[in-house]
Amino acid sequence: PNTGMMTLAYAVDQEGVFESMDANQKVVARYALAPKERERIIRQEELANGVYMYKVSVKNRIIKTGKIVIIR
């Protein structure tokens, strides 16, 4: 669980995208992931408490999925 502020550690060899979706699969946030970086601060403090899905994709290919639980 987290409060909506998190650090995403990643390794991509090309431009990537992090997206988080609500329970209806609506994208609520999208962040670019640069290959030269290894971390990205994700700020989603405005999200209501609940479970959100996320995916990381490179060249429209999903390389990671998971859940984010927001609890304040």
Side-chain angles (χ1 to χ4, degrees), residues 15-52:
E15 290 290 322
V17 177
F18 170 90
E19 294 177 309
S20 58
M21 289 81 59
D22 64 15
N24 297 317
Q25 296 300 308
K26 177 184 173 200
V27 175
V28 295
R30 181 177 285 124
Y31 295 86
L33 304 177
K36 64 181 181 251
E37 304 293 327
R38 294 289 178 229
E39 288 186 344
R40 175 73 194 244
I41 301 297
I42 306 294
R43 298 186 62 106
Q44 296 187 284
E45 294 103 335
E46 74 282 354
L47 293 179
N49 286 349
V51 178
Y52 296 83

Side-chain angles (χ1 to χ4, degrees), residues 1-7 49-52 67-72:
N2 71 63
T3 63
M5 175 122 173
M6 61 203 105
T7 302
N49 286 349
V51 178
Y52 296 83
K67 294 179 186 177
I68 300 169
V69 178
I70 303 294
I71 298 175
R72 290 186 181 71

